[in-house]
Amino acid sequence: MKVTINGTAHELPSGATVTQAVQRLTGTRSGVAVAVNDEVVSRSSWDSTALVEADRVEVLTAVQGG
Amino acid sequence: MDDDLTIGGEKFSSRLIMGTGGAPSLEILEQALAVSGTELTTVAMRRLDPSAPGSVLDVLRRRGIKVLPNTAGCFTAGEAVLTARLAREALETDWVKLEVISDERTLLPDPIETFDAAERLVADGFVVLPYIGDDPALARRLEQAGCAAVMPLGAPIGSGLGIRNPHNIELIVESAKVPVILDAGIGTASDATLAMELGCDAVLLATAVTRAQRPDLMAQAMRSAVVAGRQARLAGRIPRRRYAEASSPMNP
């Protein structure tokens, strides 16, 4: 299935979880937050939250600013 | 002198809050933050870039500085609330510097969206520090809405124009029961001192240090400036007079 991760199209196996989407970008879990279709998915739910076709996944972290 | 700043029930001995934007490198940023003595520093939330070298979070952790995520780049209350929730999840803090801008040219804060977001975030349990214009009425409304501090600007972000309307800052200070943090517009040390002399509880600045020719030296200057302004405020300045008042005896 196709999902969008941080604005880029990715092909993931059907039934893939948020954890698998995050792993496309980084191996670390700390300091990172995820929203799927503009809803926050808490870290404790990443493993159990399955994505569906066309989901928009945003993976954010802190950068210099302000 | 024991003169702690208390925000949201948490005490800070430094009244200089730093931003991290604009530093030429993480090394230079770390040095400047260390010299500044800051205990609270802002970061922005952005899409994770796997190729980014190092992390500003590592710098703050190493230096024992509390992280204050902001919602910079948001134009609507909805975006700001989502960004704050993502920051809470990523950084494990319910503190947020709420920043909702109205346009990219001035980066001035949008009061309507800011107020809307503040109400929603307070209801969601956040410690909300909103960035606002120098508007005493809005500051009061945000305090009533449950914000932990108010952060009026001195001048537009990154402008270095100093405090354009000191009178309004004084009016905000006069009626506020939460800390007033002068945010944005600081260009040099005297601006930070003036903010504190006007009665602000703290100063937040970034660009003035990070884009200075010598960030570490300016960080030191800002640290001293905030302390000097605070001491002068507590000391109570003499009234301004139209004519001289002799400081030496006039009789022979």
Side-chain angles (χ1 to χ4, degrees):
Chain A
M1 64 176 176
K2 276 197 174 60
V3 299
T4 308
I5 306 174
N6 283 358
T8 306
H10 284 256
E11 186 69 35
L12 289 179
S14 120
T17 63
V18 168
T19 300
Q20 285 165 279
V22 172
Q23 281 169 348
R24 284 293 171 101
L25 300 184
T26 177
T28 176
R29 293 170 73 97
S30 75
V32 176
V34 175
V36 177
N37 305 328
D38 294 336
E39 289 292 331
V40 179
V41 180
S42 67
R43 196 174 292 114
S44 58
S45 306
W46 288 1
D47 290 338
S48 57
T49 302
L51 297 170
V52 298
E53 177 80 24
D55 270 350
R56 286 179 296 110
V57 183
E58 292 286 327
V59 184
L60 276 76
T61 191
V63 299
Q64 283 175 248
Chain B
M1 183 177 64
D2 185 22
D3 179 35
D4 286 340
L5 165 68
T6 304
I7 307 172
E10 210 159 314
K11 284 188 191 308
F12 301 90
S13 56
S14 167
R15 291 174 179 269
L16 176 56
I17 302 172
M18 292 289 294
T20 53
S25 74
L26 282 175
E27 289 72 30
I28 290 172
L29 175 67
E30 180 160 2
Q31 202 184 357
L33 290 177
V35 171
S36 76
T38 187
E39 296 166 337
L40 182 63
T41 292
T42 66
V43 297
M45 298 300 295
R46 290 292 179 274
R47 283 175 171 172
L48 188 146
D49 174 7
S51 64
S55 158
V56 66
L57 285 180
D58 293 336
V59 171
L60 299 187
R61 206 170 294 134
R62 255 199 309 276
R63 295 292 170 177
I65 299 170
K66 182 180 173 74
V67 63
L68 176 61
N70 67 27
T71 62
C74 293
F75 287 86
T76 66
E79 288 170 10
V81 169
L82 176 60
T83 302
R85 287 180 177 151
L86 285 162
R88 176 166 65 183
E89 178 66 23
L91 309 179
E92 288 160 18
T93 175
D94 49 15
W95 285 42
V96 64
K97 176 189 162 184
L98 174 60
E99 184 176 334
V100 190
I101 55 173
S102 57
D103 69 89
E104 284 185 27
R105 192 170 62 88
T106 66
L107 300 179
L108 287 169
D110 183 315
I112 312 294
E113 298 294 326
T114 301
F115 188 81
D116 181 11
E119 283 190 316
R120 288 153 70 176
L121 290 169
V122 168
D124 198 7
F126 281 89
V127 174
V128 182
L129 293 75
Y131 166 62
I132 56 172
D134 52 11
D135 178 351
L138 179 61
R140 198 175 313 124
R141 291 291 295 267
L142 285 163
E143 177 180 327
Q144 287 163 357
C147 290
V150 288
M151 310 181 83
L153 56 74
I157 293 169
S159 68
L161 289 172
I163 300 175
R164 304 313 298 168
N165 193 341
H167 182 63
N168 270 24
I169 299 298
E170 277 184 312
L171 289 177
I172 292 172
V173 166
E174 264 176 40
S175 62
K177 290 178 190 66
V178 293
V180 177
I181 301 164
L182 197 289
D183 185 3
I186 299 288
T188 188
S190 53
D191 299 330
T193 300
L194 176 60
M196 299 306 292
E197 287 172 345
L198 292 172
C200 291
D201 296 281
V203 171
L204 194 162
L205 59 91
T207 315
V209 162
T210 58
R211 295 204 210 277
Q213 289 183 21
R214 289 189 51 191
D216 57 332
L217 190 54
M218 188 60 90
Q220 197 163 12
M222 290 300 183
R223 178 183 195 157
S224 305
V226 167
V227 170
R230 176 67 180 172
Q231 288 172 335
R233 171 74 180 187
L234 295 177
R237 60 152 300 150
I238 59 166
R240 289 179 174 83
R241 288 172 187 277
R242 195 165 168 78
Y243 301 106
E245 186 183 52
S247 55
S248 308
M250 294 296 280
N251 47 339

